[in-house]
Amino acid sequence: MDSATEAFVAHRNLLFTVAYEMLGSATDAEDVLQETWLRWVGVDLDTVREQRAYLVRIVTRQALDRLRALGRRRESYVGPWLPEPLLTAPDVAEDVELADSVSMAMLLVLETLAPIERAVFVLREVFDLEYGEIAEAVDKSAAAVRQIAYRARAHVAARRPRGSVSPAQTRAALQAFQRAVETGDLQSLLDILAPDVVALADGGGVAHALLRPIVGRGKVARLLAARWYQRGVERSVEPVQVNGGPGLLVRVDGQVDGVLAVQVENGRIAGLYHVRNPEKLSRVDRETAVSR
């Protein structure tokens, strides 16, 4: 490989992760990587002091442009919008900060940030870049980036999931949830759901899904019981690693129908994120590498 290709390949997983955390879409992240590559091969490498930083700068600028365009597109999205799920390797969960940063719950929080705030938060809090490096990537002064980082950090802290939960606790809660829905034990289902559990489903106007969030243990349990035991439908679930944590791959009549990720608080499921939009299920047949 030539020097440009070698450098790009060496940092590709990092660049993909930056783009994915900024966009919440693996498909758009791949497009951003392609645009980054086209710009990278036109760079005179003799003028590049730090290749990793230079590549991060390119991918950040491309992702910001894409994020602004996506914001307008999502305003007309049918029903709740959820991030495109990724099947991740088990070792991603061992990096607690990385797993948290790509989780469905965190990506939804990041959606509430302005594009520039999201970029600064991701680069600083997840990838620990210096303020000067971030300033070059977002075309702001280092002082401005510090202020943006402070605002973004406070915004995320007020909205992120409460308390830390180990992968083992999340896995145990998901296993209890799986047993409850497979056996039809309504009481067990009520026991594993938090009182204020929120269920979101993304069909994108293509697959049947909830058009608004469902809140409350009783409502969510009844919804699951009604949907899960439809006559003439054979439904099965397979435990998988989704966005750095335990999740379920849902099949109907043997075909992939969706991906279910969960948010766990105090040993109970506080958030259910069900992605059924077929356009967001193209990567659930293989693991996607993410890294810091």
Side-chain angles (χ1 to χ4, degrees):
M1 291 186 291
D2 58 55
S3 298
T5 304
E6 186 176 3
F8 187 85
V9 170
H11 298 298
R12 190 188 189 285
N13 291 345
L14 164 71
L15 299 175
F16 173 84
T17 309
V18 171
Y20 176 72
E21 292 197 15
M22 286 183 60
L23 300 168
S25 165
T27 302
D28 287 301
E30 291 288 1
D31 287 345
V32 164
L33 255 64
Q34 181 65 25
E35 293 163 0
T36 299
W37 165 250
L38 292 175
R39 283 159 177 75
W40 175 243
V41 293
V43 173
D44 180 359
L45 296 188
D46 291 335
T47 66
V48 177
R49 185 176 68 254
E50 173 53 57
Q51 293 181 345
R52 177 180 182 272
Y54 199 101
L55 281 164
V56 168
R57 188 188 316 162
I58 298 175
V59 83
T60 299
R61 290 175 177 173
Q62 297 305 311
L64 273 172
D65 289 343
R66 182 62 62 96
L67 186 58
R68 294 181 180 112
L70 288 176
R72 294 188 290 272
R73 192 191 312 170
R74 287 172 189 170
E75 290 176 359
S76 59
Y77 197 81
V78 179
W81 180 92
L82 289 175
E84 183 178 349
L86 302 179
L87 296 196
T88 50
D91 60 355
V92 172
E94 298 174 5
D95 185 338
V96 177
E97 291 184 358
L98 177 61
D100 177 64
S101 70
V102 299
S103 69
M104 286 282 186
M106 177 56 76
L107 290 174
L108 285 176
V109 172
L110 295 182
E111 281 292 307
T112 64
L113 292 170
I116 198 73
E117 290 177 330
R118 185 167 184 169
V120 170
F121 181 87
V122 168
L123 295 178
R124 179 63 182 172
E125 300 300 317
V126 181
F127 297 95
D128 199 29
L129 266 64
E130 298 294 334
Y131 289 113
E133 292 180 277
I134 301 172
E136 291 184 0
V138 300
D139 291 324
K140 299 282 186 181
S141 68
V145 166
R146 285 180 181 274
Q147 292 180 335
I148 294 169
Y150 177 82
R151 290 198 306 269
R153 196 159 44 240
H155 181 97
V156 171
R159 291 164 177 79
R160 72 189 309 162
R162 299 182 295 273
S164 60
V165 180
S166 71
Q169 288 174 309
T170 300
R171 190 161 47 249
L174 190 66
Q175 289 171 348
F177 172 81
Q178 181 180 349
R179 286 193 301 270
V181 295
E182 287 180 334
T183 61
D185 188 340
L186 184 59
Q187 186 56 54
S188 294
L189 189 56
L190 290 168
D191 290 341
I192 197 57
L193 297 176
D196 57 350
V197 60
V198 179
L200 297 170
D202 179 344
V206 180
H208 181 70
L210 303 172
L211 291 179
R212 61 185 62 85
I214 302 299
V215 182
R217 178 165 50 197
K219 291 181 180 179
V220 172
R222 288 192 294 271
L223 172 71
L224 288 168
R227 294 284 176 88
W228 196 267
Y229 300 105
Q230 295 175 349
R231 291 183 178 180
V233 174
E234 181 183 341
R235 197 181 304 267
S236 63
V237 293
E238 173 191 347
V240 290
Q241 287 287 320
V242 178
N243 287 62
L248 298 173
L249 185 63
V250 183
R251 287 188 171 87
V252 172
D253 296 330
Q255 301 298 314
V256 172
D257 182 73
V259 172
L260 186 69
V262 300
Q263 172 194 339
V264 175
E265 294 178 4
N266 299 320
R268 292 183 175 180
I269 293 176
L272 285 165
Y273 310 108
H274 191 187
V275 180
R276 296 196 67 223
N277 184 347
E279 295 178 359
K280 296 184 178 183
L281 300 176
S282 62
R283 302 176 72 96
V284 298
D285 60 344
R286 62 193 185 280
E287 290 181 356
T288 297
V290 293
S291 68
R292 290 198 294 162

